[in-house]
Amino acid sequence: MIGSGRDKIETQQQFEASLRTVNGLALDGLVVIGGDDSNTNAALLSEFFTEQGSKCCVVGVPKTIDGDLANSEVEVSFGFDTATRVYSETISNLNVDAQSSKKYWNFVKLMGRSASHIALECALQSRSNVTLISEEIEKFGMTLAEVVAAICDVVEKRAQQGRNYGSVLVPEGLIEFIPEIHSLISELNDILASGSMEETQVISCLSPAMQVLFSSLPPFIRSQMLLDRDPHGNVAVSRIETERLLIWMCQQRLQARQSEGKFKGSFNPIAHFCGYEGRSGLPTDFDSCYCQALGYTAAILLRDGVSGYMAVVKNLRHPPASWTAGGAPLCSMMTVERRKGKNKPVIKKALVDLDGPVFAVFAGARERWANGDCYRHPGAFQLADRDEVYGSLQASYTLIYSTAGSKLVLPEHTEEGESVPSSFQTNRTRDFPTLPRAVANPQSTALFSSPIELSVRAGQLFGNLSSA
């Protein structure tokens, strides 16, 4: 096991160094586990090793919690199921707390810079009130003010029902999908390409429209947008607290509505960020079985001298006994993109398909979820949700809907089924917990020698408290 890293292999020197490493270790096989960038590297390494006469075969394995490595050959990457269930359990806990205390709005930022698959799956799992889908916001060219107004409309409508609480799910990369913010970030990247600058200097270099937009943002967001760029010259989106920005702007908007007499509720927001804990938890039963199958598949491909392929397992929404395994050429997944002024072969990221079945189910239910308390608690993420229809392992809703091949809508995403608790909730209320023997029998005298003694002791206690 060589280990993990975040560096891309791009230069001739890096390819030659890779070859020296595998030769030095006498490797006849290299498994590259990762997302679109890692598997792009796997394809290029395979080609380079072959050209150099190396006997080291290279096989890729699809791994990314973001869910953006999916195509006709790859139904889902491993890690997505675990991460979304970890997040969904946390989100559901927050929803239950908000509904109980009736006074908090939880703004939860979720991983996923380039795609909103995680936010979409967590919405289907938890049925939160508002879920922002970056791809949809980009498609309709929504401004930051329009996004904030949409959230405030839900807050106001729920307040009219006496519900001054709720939840908002925010994809990590949302801010880059808002067209005007994307333009601002592009200008900032160009200005800061040569190094850091003072804020006043940066403002003077911006175009007039971007000067107005940048100055309208709260100080903490302006500072985060000016942080050091990543090795590719891009802003570090994960360090921009988009959830706090939305909270700040919602507070301003709701205060204005309150002064106009339009908003008469209360708004107590709390910011959360579900980050790397999602990819660090114990795997779900689905991911455990899936990874085992991928590992065996990759090993068989290397044993048979196959190179430049990705290990793939299909038919995943059915029981594992029905899964099929094989290899898919990495080149069949690749396209050409313009990066740093050059055409580069890459595996294209899979964004949320706004015309696809997964988004359609969400779009058909989100208005009900916004106005009501339709919260669902999926339960402990490590445990399999035993489903008689879909097999012994309950796959993610994203996987089920994207591979069902029909206009399927599960009962829990229909208006009639939203009042039905999850199977974990049902099992928890059905399976009565074991009680200590001393209290299991109402007539038990194990606690005290007699009911009279209980009364006497209570009387003595209250008497002592009164005299004190």
Side-chain angles (χ1 to χ4, degrees):
M1 180 70 72
I2 295 177
S4 64
R6 305 293 294 177
D7 297 322
K8 294 182 180 179
I9 302 174
E10 296 180 301
T11 67
Q12 181 69 19
Q13 292 80 6
Q14 289 173 327
F15 280 102
E16 292 173 353
S18 301
L19 181 60
R20 287 195 299 271
T21 299
V22 296
N23 287 340
L25 295 172
L27 298 182
D28 57 7
L30 177 65
V31 179
V32 179
I33 304 172
D36 55 297
D37 283 335
S38 297
N39 280 283
T40 294
N41 273 161
L44 299 177
L45 281 171
S46 172
E47 183 178 47
F48 181 75
F49 288 174
T50 301
E51 290 174 349
Q52 300 301 312
S54 173
K55 295 182 180 180
C56 182
C57 297
V58 183
V59 168
V61 171
K63 185 279 303 176
T64 170
I65 68 168
D66 293 347
D68 56 5
L69 177 53
N71 49 51
S72 60
E73 299 296 336
V74 181
E75 294 183 352
V76 70
S77 55
F78 82 76
F80 178 78
D81 191 79
T82 297
T84 53
R85 288 182 189 267
V86 172
Y87 296 149
S88 296
E89 184 178 2
T90 298
I91 293 165
S92 297
N93 290 342
L94 293 173
N95 288 343
V96 169
D97 178 72
Q99 187 179 18
S100 175
S101 61
K102 301 187 183 304
K103 60 180 180 179
Y104 296 119
W105 270 92
N106 293 296
F107 283 65
V108 185
K109 184 170 74 171
L110 296 159
M111 296 286 282
R113 172 170 182 163
S114 300
S116 305
H117 296 293
I118 288 179
L120 182 55
E121 175 66 22
C122 289
L124 294 170
Q125 290 281 356
S126 66
R127 300 198 290 248
S128 295
N129 303 106
V130 178
T131 300
L132 303 174
I133 303 299
S134 301
E135 293 86 343
E136 183 181 28
I137 289 169
E138 181 183 47
K139 177 183 178 180
F140 292 105
M142 295 179 69
T143 64
L144 182 58
E146 289 172 337
V147 173
V148 171
I151 298 172
C152 289
D153 289 344
V154 176
V155 173
E156 183 178 334
K157 191 167 184 178
R158 288 181 63 81
Q160 292 170 356
Q161 304 170 19
R163 293 172 169 149
N164 294 297
Y165 56 89
S167 56
V168 180
L169 306 188
V170 183
E172 179 186 30
L174 169 71
I175 198 162
E176 283 192 308
F177 281 78
I178 300 173
E180 60 180 352
I181 300 295
H182 180 79
S183 298
L184 172 60
I185 290 175
S186 295
E187 286 196 24
L188 290 173
N189 287 342
D190 291 339
I191 293 170
L192 298 172
S194 57
S196 59
M197 297 170 60
E198 293 294 328
E199 185 176 311
T200 52
Q201 293 177 292
V202 171
I203 292 176
S204 66
C205 297
L206 289 169
S207 64
M210 293 301 104
Q211 286 182 2
V212 174
L213 177 59
F214 185 73
S215 300
S216 70
L217 300 173
F220 68 90
I221 292 294
R222 295 201 301 266
S223 298
Q224 291 166 4
M225 283 189 166
L226 300 181
L227 293 172
D228 292 339
R229 271 36 195 170
D230 65 17
H232 307 289
N234 300 318
V235 65
V237 172
S238 62
R239 298 168 71 181
I240 297 178
E241 297 174 296
T242 311
E243 72 281 17
R244 287 186 59 205
L245 170 62
L246 294 175
I247 285 174
W248 184 83
M249 295 190 70
C250 284
Q251 287 174 323
Q252 308 300 311
R253 179 64 65 93
L254 291 170
Q255 286 174 6
R257 293 187 183 186
Q258 206 162 36
S259 63
E260 298 168 357
K262 297 179 180 178
F263 177 61
K264 299 179 181 179
S266 61
F267 181 63
N268 298 299
I270 304 176
H272 309 268
F273 177 33
C274 291
Y276 291 138
E277 66 270 28
R279 69 183 191 188
S280 306
L282 290 173
T284 58
D285 284 1
F286 173 85
D287 265 340
S288 294
C289 292
Y290 186 30
C291 288
Q292 184 88 339
L294 285 171
Y296 271 87
T297 303
I300 292 170
L301 291 173
L302 291 176
R303 182 201 64 187
D304 293 344
V306 175
S307 189
Y309 276 65
M310 179 184 287
V312 295
V313 178
K314 294 185 176 183
N315 213 29
L316 294 172
R317 69 185 180 94
H318 295 289
S322 301
W323 292 357
T324 59
L330 286 164
C331 61
S332 67
M333 308 175 192
M334 302 183 78
T335 185
V336 175
E337 290 184 4
R338 194 77 175 170
R339 294 187 179 181
K340 297 182 181 180
K342 296 181 180 180
N343 290 330
K344 298 280 188 178
V346 297
I347 295 177
K348 188 176 182 179
K349 290 183 183 293
L351 304 183
V352 170
D353 182 3
L354 300 179
D355 296 319
V358 186
F359 182 80
V361 172
F362 164 73
R366 61 177 163 184
E367 186 175 353
R368 297 195 304 272
W369 300 349
N371 299 327
D373 291 349
C374 304
Y375 306 128
R376 174 181 181 273
H377 205 303
F381 71 91
Q382 300 100 325
L383 305 176
D385 193 354
R386 305 297 171 181
D387 190 296
E388 294 179 0
V389 177
Y390 290 98
S392 60
L393 297 177
Q394 173 67 67
S396 66
Y397 290 121
T398 298
L399 177 60
I400 291 173
Y401 286 133
S402 63
T403 60
S406 63
K407 294 183 179 180
L408 171 72
V409 180
L410 295 176
E412 54 263 43
H413 296 140
T414 64
E415 186 171 4
E416 297 77 17
E418 283 165 2
S419 61
V420 180
S422 70
S423 60
F424 284 114
Q425 289 173 288
T426 302
N427 291 339
R428 178 56 66 203
T429 55
R430 182 189 62 199
D431 299 335
F432 195 77
T434 303
L435 291 173
R437 183 173 57 85
V439 297
N441 181 359
Q443 303 302 319
S444 173
T445 58
L447 286 176
F448 299 96
S449 57
S450 69
I452 296 178
E453 184 179 349
L454 172 60
S455 302
V456 170
R457 290 191 182 187
Q460 289 175 345
L461 174 61
F462 294 133
N464 292 338
L465 289 174
S466 299
S467 62

